[in-house]
Amino acid sequence: MPGPAFLTRLLGDHWPRRLRSRPAAAVVVAALCLAALGAVAGSARRQTDEMRRRAQHIAELERMKREFLLLASHELRGPLAVARGYAAMLREGSLGQPPASFRRPLGIMDDKLAEMGSLVDDMLETARLETGRLDLTRSDVDLRDVVETAVAHVRPGVSPRHQLEMELPGRPVVVRGDTERLRRIAVNLLDNAVKYSPDGGAVCCAVGVHDHHAEIRVQDHGIGIAADAQPRMFQRFGRILTPQTSGIPGTGLGLYLCRELARAHGGDITLESREGEGSTFTLTLPLGGAATPN
Ligand code: ADP
């Protein structure tokens, strides 16, 4: 038990003068103070332990959520592929000619299954990203091929109000990358360009080299995005809801995935946009392979 001399050393002039001449009382006061300090320290330690336990619990829940997302989206792909296969067979008449009244519902079913398919693909890719299981299969890729296949993929769904244009240089623009993932980025940017130009107009997809970087530029003349909403678009589930976009289907995962995939390739996606005038998304990638400036 500390005596008054110890308290004098510890507290100097800060403990009451009256106690200095009463050692027993000083010892009692000191004991009480130490007990109080001990109780405070004990409670702080308990609170820290509780906070650590909660943080571990939240981290574990997050991990389980990511694993569930990965498993669920992976398992959904099989049955969905079967449903899409049967829907296509019904529509094409391979299972017998469907009555004319089935044509519209079958078309809607096909569209909705396709929508579900791309949602499941986005969920699966997000889960792979967040569990660190995004394995890129890299090879030398000419971005002109990427854009050509992406445009061919998007074209059938484009309305006659839109003009889908390509600007490709005469020489290859080669990067080291995952062809499937790069095509996915281009398809996503093109899909968005069409989707967010409800009045139609030209959508142009260009390949080029700028500042020693390869790039794919997708430009539209659609609704554009207000400057203050732009940073949110690249966040997970970052849908920008305005009266113009509320009727347009989407999940808000597309641009998040595009940017993460671009960054996994050592590149990025940037945006220039003016509300009501249109947007230009630019995917930049490090030049690789036998790239030559155009
Ligand atoms: P979504 O599935 O909602 O299309 P994205 O992640 O692809 O999700 O895009 C996020 C949001 O960014 C969209 O909800 C939309 O508001 C906005 N956006 C994306 N592309 C464009 C574009 N070309 N023009 C205008 N707004 C766009």
Side-chain angles (χ1 to χ4, degrees):
M1 183 66 68
F6 169 79
L7 291 171
T8 309
R9 266 206 313 281
L10 186 70
L11 299 172
D13 288 337
H14 296 294
W15 66 295
R17 207 172 281 277
R18 270 196 293 159
L19 283 181
R20 291 186 204 175
S21 54
R22 296 183 191 156
V27 168
V28 171
V29 169
L32 288 172
C33 288
L34 285 175
L37 276 176
V40 169
S43 143
R45 201 176 318 114
R46 273 193 302 281
Q47 276 182 13
T48 312
D49 287 349
E50 179 59 24
M51 277 162 68
R52 194 175 304 125
R53 250 195 316 277
R54 280 192 202 169
Q56 279 167 353
H57 183 60
I58 290 170
E60 179 58 12
L61 286 178
E62 271 293 316
R63 192 192 61 76
M64 282 164 63
K65 194 186 77 187
R66 287 195 293 267
E67 291 293 333
F68 173 75
L69 191 65
L70 186 66
L71 188 76
S73 45
H74 194 266
E75 293 304 313
L76 276 170
R77 288 210 311 176
L80 199 53
V82 175
R84 288 185 76 177
Y86 276 114
M89 282 157 80
L90 279 170
R91 211 187 49 247
E92 289 155 7
S94 354
L95 300 175
Q97 211 45 49
S101 59
F102 278 27
R103 209 164 295 141
R104 204 175 116 73
L106 282 176
I108 295 174
M109 194 164 90
D110 210 28
D111 286 351
K112 293 297 160 194
L113 285 173
E115 246 175 58
M116 218 194 281
S118 63
L119 172 58
V120 167
D121 283 351
D122 281 356
M123 278 165 49
L124 185 59
E125 197 77 329
T126 304
R128 283 191 190 121
L129 252 171
E130 296 186 344
T131 51
R133 281 176 243 184
L134 184 81
D135 295 321
L136 298 182
T137 311
R138 291 182 195 261
S139 61
D140 281 1
V141 185
D142 184 351
L143 291 187
R144 298 177 309 169
D145 297 337
V146 170
V147 163
E148 271 180 334
T149 40
V151 168
H153 180 89
V154 172
R155 200 179 286 287
V158 169
S159 81
R161 297 191 308 276
H162 294 95
Q163 300 87 50
L164 205 46
E165 294 159 5
M166 268 188 294
E167 270 177 33
L168 304 180
R171 292 176 174 189
V173 176
V174 181
V175 299
R176 279 300 288 174
D178 183 319
T179 313
E180 275 305 314
R181 262 60 180 255
L182 294 176
R183 188 179 305 142
R184 188 187 181 99
I185 297 175
V187 166
N188 215 306
L189 296 179
L190 280 165
D191 268 339
N192 276 354
V194 172
K195 205 162 72 161
Y196 296 105
S197 306
D199 298 331
V203 167
C204 181
C205 190
V207 173
V209 175
H210 188 68
D211 271 351
H212 309 292
H213 277 82
E215 57 177 43
I216 294 179
R217 242 182 0 267
V218 178
Q219 185 183 27
D220 66 62
H221 299 89
I223 60 174
I225 307 118
D228 59 345
Q230 291 179 15
R232 228 171 343 121
M233 301 165 53
F234 291 95
Q235 290 168 7
R236 206 160 53 134
F237 304 116
R239 299 210 73 204
I240 313 297
L241 288 176
T242 64
Q244 279 168 303
T245 59
S246 59
I248 301 176
T251 59
L253 277 177
L255 285 180
Y256 163 75
L257 271 176
C258 285
R259 180 173 266 181
E260 292 301 316
L261 287 174
R263 288 181 175 171
H265 280 84
D268 207 350
I269 296 185
T270 53
L271 163 69
E272 282 169 58
S273 184
R274 289 173 84 94
E275 203 174 0
E277 292 181 23
S279 313
T280 303
F281 288 84
T282 307
L283 163 68
T284 45
L285 294 164
L287 273 170
T292 39
N294 47 346

